[in-house]
Amino acid sequence: MTLFKRFLSPLLFPAGLLAMAILAGCGGGDQGRDPILGLPGATLSSLAVTPATATVAIGAGQQFTAIATYSDGSSQDVSAKAAWTSATPATATVNAGTGLSTGIAAGNSNISAAFGGKSAAAQLTVSPATLTAIAISPLAPSIAIGATQQFAVTGSFSDGATRDVTAVSAFASASPATASIAAGGLALGKVAGTTQITATTGTLTASTLLTVNPATLLSITVTPQNPIVPVAATRQLAVLAAYSDGSSVDVTAGSTFVSVTPAAATVASGGRVTGIAFGSSVMNANFNGKTASTTVTVPAATVVSIAVTPATASVAVGAQQQFVATATYSDSSNAIITNSANWTSATIANATVLNTGIATGVAAGTSSITATAGGQSGSALLTVTAVAIPPLFNSINLGRAAPFGVLAGTSITNNSGGTTLITGDVGAPSQTVDPTQAAGFTNYKSGAILAGAMTDLQAAITDGNSRSCDVSFAGGIDLGGQTFGPGVYCYAGAISITGTLTLNGPGVYIFRTALTLDSTVNSVVALNNGATADNVSWLPVGPTTLAANSVFKGNILGQSAAITVGDNTTLLNGRVLTAAAVTLRNNQITK
């Protein structure tokens, strides 16, 4: 047999059968050795109940434990898997699934456990002493919303002994809406107020008053953690506060910021970081007595050139044009430095420009709009006309996908009992819970309309990916805190949004990424000066995740990757369209 096992040919056992044989040999503790391969599998050798003997008073409880020992010398607590019985239930009972025994009357009873064909027993003696009083502790506690309080019950017996009888006590809250309480005595604060907590053991009761205070600030965190900010580039920090009720709130506006090493990187009062010189600096944020930090690293690369886009633009007198400054560094990396560059207009009689890159037409003519940072400059030509030039609209045509607010090629997962509302058609062949829709819209799970929408979605994605890039980055970018004019923005890395992204002016906006699209908690996509959501398209190759409580705008067009919309996130004037899966949770989506 040994030689047979050693020279078993793989040809006699295909991979699937071999795996099944191995799994059979390596099964649970009550499995024996495999009869063919002889692979080791521990067998159940014995079962023991501890403690072997115990004494309780009438009304008191005793927890027994069942320990299984196996042939390989290992042991395991199987109390929750064993079947428990009491030989004399009139003397002592035992919970069949947990091993918790309770004294009923004076006498003795064997408490037995059975598991895997083995059995064992312990002796429980119930003394004549009776439970005369109980006390609940702590007395008059107070907790915050979202916090918990463990209560305990102590029993006094006729023989003068005291014992913990929490396990055999029943608990109740007079106002469950204020604080609930579990079977084991753990209370959870829900809303501010008071409630009476009562414990009952046998025929005896005890109570105390629990006060639930308003939610308290537990901690704050700074995001993003450990960002890299090139010289002259900026990055928006956000501060999230965690409260005792489980909520998370963006408190950036109410926080103060300090840069430990401002020679490397500075931070403005609103949390915007600017890279100054090679090095690193710890950025401390403070809110209501809580402090958190992140370390900003400024790489050694220097600015070698600056490009201003669009390179040429035309506006009417009084109209505005958003310019974007992009720096190229000595390590070939790129960064948008629009908000940290120094902007100038060569002919202010024709056009002025703000330090945000927004130029305004003053009189007919031309002016060179220049951005300067890190000793380098870049310019664009702005033509100001006496009459208004109608904006060029060449948005992505969604075709038969346009009526849909949510469209998924595989499935939609929507939370049961939530508050999701879709103002638009919904389509997916599989839906765990059908999203609620505004009146006048349809949910498609099959048929020609759904198939046509999926076909036109792919055509729209092909159209968007064929557009020439106005800005092309070799890496990823955090768009938070930035202002963009119309254009096609292409990134080889991931796109993230921390804080507020502003899209300024009428025209088409296309954001493409070869990786993922993500927004952070409470982030916002804002539209100014004629920018419209229908002309904003997001084309990620990888998955999209919109964090909780964010406000997103525009159409997300996913070719073959999932889209997850976080809890209470809204897409006002936007669509969630993908050939893959969509996950929703308490979302408001209006196409």
Side-chain angles (χ1 to χ4, degrees):
M1 184 64 180
T2 302
L3 290 174
F4 175 72
K5 285 189 281 186
R6 181 178 299 172
F7 296 106
L8 278 175
S9 170
L11 296 176
L12 299 178
F13 293 89
L17 293 178
L18 182 61
M20 292 172 64
I22 292 172
L23 288 174
C26 299
D30 53 356
Q31 301 293 321
R33 292 180 178 270
D34 182 82
I36 299 176
L37 299 179
L39 297 175
T43 58
L44 178 62
S45 299
S46 63
L47 187 70
V49 174
T50 59
T53 60
T55 301
V56 297
I58 295 172
Q62 172 65 50
Q63 177 66 57
F64 288 97
T65 302
I67 303 296
T69 301
Y70 294 90
S71 58
D72 62 358
S74 64
S75 60
Q76 182 181 5
D77 183 342
V78 294
S79 302
K81 301 176 183 178
W84 294 87
T85 56
S86 171
T88 313
T91 300
T93 59
V94 64
N95 187 297
T98 65
L100 177 63
S101 183
T102 303
I104 303 298
N108 299 305
S109 182
N110 285 333
I111 305 300
S112 300
F115 173 76
K118 304 289 185 181
S119 62
Q123 187 179 65
L124 178 64
T125 299
V126 182
S127 71
T130 58
L131 184 65
T132 58
I134 63 171
I136 188 172
S137 61
L139 291 175
S142 63
I143 58 175
I145 295 174
T148 59
Q149 174 65 60
Q150 178 64 56
F151 287 93
V153 181
T154 302
S156 298
F157 293 85
S158 57
D159 62 357
T162 58
R163 295 183 182 89
D164 187 331
V165 294
T166 305
V168 292
S169 300
F171 293 87
S173 170
S175 177
T178 301
S180 62
I181 189 164
L186 183 66
L188 171 65
K190 292 185 173 180
V191 298
T194 59
T195 182
Q196 181 171 282
I197 302 297
T198 301
T200 301
T201 312
T203 60
L204 301 175
T205 62
S207 62
T208 187
L209 191 67
L210 173 63
T211 300
V212 181
N213 299 314
T216 57
L217 176 64
L218 300 179
S219 63
I220 63 171
T221 57
V222 179
T223 61
Q225 279 292 302
N226 305 321
I228 295 176
V229 183
V231 172
T234 61
R235 189 74 180 268
Q236 178 65 47
L237 300 181
V239 181
L240 303 180
Y243 289 86
S244 57
D245 61 357
S247 63
S248 177
V249 180
D250 187 332
V251 294
T252 307
S255 301
T256 57
F257 297 86
V258 175
S259 171
V260 174
T261 315
T266 60
V267 61
S269 58
R272 185 187 299 278
V273 172
T274 302
I276 302 299
F278 168 66
S280 63
S281 181
V282 174
M283 300 295 171
N284 291 327
N286 184 278
F287 176 77
N288 281 0
K290 301 292 184 180
T291 301
S293 63
T294 186
T295 300
V296 174
T297 299
V298 181
T302 58
V303 180
V304 295
S305 65
I306 294 175
V308 176
T309 56
T312 60
S314 295
V315 296
V317 172
Q320 293 182 323
Q321 171 66 49
Q322 173 69 61
F323 288 98
V324 176
T326 304
T328 298
Y329 294 86
S330 55
D331 61 358
S332 299
S333 64
N334 298 280
I336 292 176
I337 59 170
T338 304
N339 293 315
S340 60
N342 180 38
W343 292 88
T344 57
S345 171
T347 312
I348 58 175
N350 297 118
T352 59
V353 64
L354 301 176
N355 271 335
T356 56
I358 299 176
T360 302
V362 176
T366 62
S367 182
S368 179
I369 305 299
T370 301
T372 302
Q376 302 294 327
S377 296
S379 300
L381 183 65
L382 178 63
T383 299
V384 182
T385 62
V387 295
I389 299 175
L392 174 63
F393 288 98
N394 186 22
S395 59
I396 295 176
N397 184 4
L398 297 176
R400 289 169 288 181
F404 287 83
V406 177
L407 180 64
T410 58
S411 65
I412 293 176
T413 300
N414 179 41
N415 60 312
S416 177
T419 58
T420 292
L421 176 64
I422 311 299
T423 304
D425 289 341
V426 171
S430 172
Q431 301 178 36
T432 57
V433 177
D434 292 358
T436 302
Q437 294 175 268
F441 296 100
T442 305
N443 189 328
Y444 297 93
K445 298 183 180 179
S446 62
I449 293 178
L450 179 60
M454 294 305 305
T455 298
D456 286 359
L457 170 61
Q458 294 302 315
I461 292 172
T462 300
D463 175 19
N465 286 329
S466 69
R467 306 288 181 96
S468 297
C469 300
D470 294 308
V471 174
S472 183
F473 280 3
I477 189 172
D478 186 345
L479 301 179
Q482 306 286 351
T483 300
F484 287 79
V488 180
Y489 300 90
C490 308
Y491 304 96
I495 291 177
S496 61
I497 302 174
T498 302
T500 300
L501 162 66
T502 302
L503 305 182
N504 186 69
V508 175
Y509 297 79
I510 298 176
F511 293 90
R512 302 203 310 245
T513 169
L515 295 178
T516 58
L517 169 63
D518 301 290
S519 71
T520 62
V521 174
N522 299 314
S523 60
V524 176
V525 176
L527 306 178
N528 285 348
N529 296 322
T532 59
D534 271 345
N535 287 315
V536 179
S537 299
W538 304 86
L539 282 76
V541 172
T544 295
T545 303
L546 305 184
N549 302 313
S550 57
V551 178
F552 199 85
K553 293 183 176 67
N555 302 316
I556 305 173
L557 312 182
Q559 187 168 20
S560 58
I563 299 175
T564 299
V565 186
D567 192 7
N568 203 38
T569 288
T570 59
L571 276 85
L572 301 176
N573 306 112
R575 297 173 174 86
V576 178
L577 313 175
T578 180
V582 170
T583 300
L584 304 173
R585 184 176 178 83
N586 303 317
N587 309 122
Q588 310 298 309
I589 300 176
T590 303
K591 71 177 182 63

